[in-house]
Amino acid sequence: MPSFHNGAVEIAYLDEGEGDPIILVHGFASSKNVNWVYPTWVSELRKNGRRVIALDNRGHGESAKLYDPAQYSIPTMAGDVLALMDHLAIPQADIMGYSMGGRMTAWLGLNEPQRLRSAILGGIGIGGLIEGTGPGEVVAEALEAASLDDVSDPVGRTFRAFADQTRSDRVALAACLRGTRDLMTRDEAARIDVPVLIAVGSTDDVAGSAGALGAIIPGSEVLDIPNRDHMRAVGDKVYKSGVLDFLSRRG
């Protein structure tokens, strides 16, 4: 698996296919494989004539594990995406992020709009981006618990079970969660000036309302993924077909 260094931090990535590039940024406690390869996003996008690039965020997958929350701010992690684009000499790309990756993508849309052809915010609504309803300290503590049996909070149990399933470094994830608490204000979200698609499961109680976020980001489109929660929306066919339609209209 190829990798590069952003400063001292090694970042693993995949780069497959040919055509217009799309960069995929996975969610918290996930990885490029769990979020994008196994749910067939990479193969579907390649079939649709895309060059597909996906990274393991720092602290995740095959990338470097860091244990200081200060090394996981959203601007710092978004900087890894920019560094990957620079490493591959890609001046501009469509970028799709899920959950935490969606927050990184929104930050790029606000602060580095010239690098984005479009932004797809998956699993992130007004709650996760602006109101702070995403996983908090209770999830960090669940990750640090001796075992799943010691975790009683339902959201904490969900993320702990997911981290165990993906064989993640739970201490690094706890540091990441504590470091990525920076939110976006409504005024900042309203200044995002790239084409945006917001795609959230209709039963996702982690992301918050996609429609409410769509009302803030000018010109954005909203895609409701029926009967899917935060964990099960990722590979949904409605999500995939909606993204492919959105991308086809960017050409």
Side-chain angles (χ1 to χ4, degrees), residues 183-202:
L183 298 171
M184 189 172 279
T185 68
R186 288 170 183 266
D187 287 345
E188 287 172 331
R191 296 205 310 270
I192 295 175
D193 189 26
V194 298
V196 172
L197 175 68
I198 304 164
V200 175
S202 64

Side-chain angles (χ1 to χ4, degrees), residues 4-16:
F4 76 105
H5 282 81
N6 184 18
V9 180
E10 185 174 16
I11 302 292
Y13 68 95
L14 63 80
D15 181 1
E16 299 182 7

Side-chain angles (χ1 to χ4, degrees), residues 1-5 9-15 24 26 32 53-58 60-65 84:
M1 185 61 62
S3 67
F4 76 105
H5 282 81
V9 180
E10 185 174 16
I11 302 292
Y13 68 95
L14 63 80
D15 181 1
L24 308 178
H26 68 75
K32 61 185 182 310
I53 298 140
L55 74 161
D56 278 333
N57 289 320
R58 54 177 61 203
H60 296 72
E62 298 172 88
S63 291
K65 308 303 184 292
L84 175 57

Side-chain angles (χ1 to χ4, degrees), residues 21-210:
I22 181 167
I23 299 173
L24 308 178
V25 189
H26 68 75
F28 175 73
S30 192
S31 69
K32 61 185 182 310
N33 287 336
V34 171
N35 221 144
W36 308 119
V37 177
Y38 303 153
T40 70
W41 272 105
V42 173
S43 57
E44 288 286 328
L45 288 163
R46 285 186 63 182
K47 268 191 265 180
N48 279 267
R50 288 299 185 125
R51 177 185 178 185
V52 185
I53 298 140
L55 74 161
D56 278 333
N57 289 320
R58 54 177 61 203
H60 296 72
E62 298 172 88
S63 291
K65 308 303 184 292
L66 310 168
Y67 303 100
D68 179 359
Q71 293 179 293
Y72 288 103
S73 71
I74 291 293
T76 297
M77 295 184 73
D80 292 335
V81 178
L82 295 175
L84 175 57
M85 293 176 71
D86 292 343
H87 174 70
L88 297 175
I90 296 173
Q92 189 182 56
D94 297 293
I95 301 182
M96 174 163 64
Y98 195 85
S99 195
M100 179 183 74
R103 292 171 62 207
M104 294 161 61
T105 302
W107 187 93
L108 290 168
L110 175 63
N111 294 281
E112 299 285 343
Q114 72 282 1
R115 305 301 299 269
L116 277 72
R117 192 163 171 257
S118 72
I120 300 165
L121 310 180
I124 191 81
I126 194 169
L129 188 66
I130 294 172
E131 295 176 346
T133 59
E137 181 62 23
V138 69
V139 173
E141 291 172 356
L143 291 165
E144 293 171 330
S147 77
L148 180 62
D149 293 338
D150 297 319
V151 181
S152 58
D153 178 80
V155 177
R157 284 185 64 86
T158 297
F159 278 92
R160 171 57 186 264
F162 185 56
D164 286 346
Q165 177 191 342
T166 54
R167 297 190 176 94
S168 298
D169 182 327
R170 293 183 286 103
V171 179
L173 290 184
C176 175
L177 189 57
R178 292 182 173 119
T180 52
R181 288 188 171 155
D182 13 5
L183 298 171
M184 189 172 279
T185 68
R186 288 170 183 266
D187 287 345
E188 287 172 331
R191 296 205 310 270
I192 295 175
D193 189 26
V194 298
V196 172
L197 175 68
I198 304 164
V200 175
S202 64
T203 61
D204 185 337
D205 54 6
V206 174
S209 169

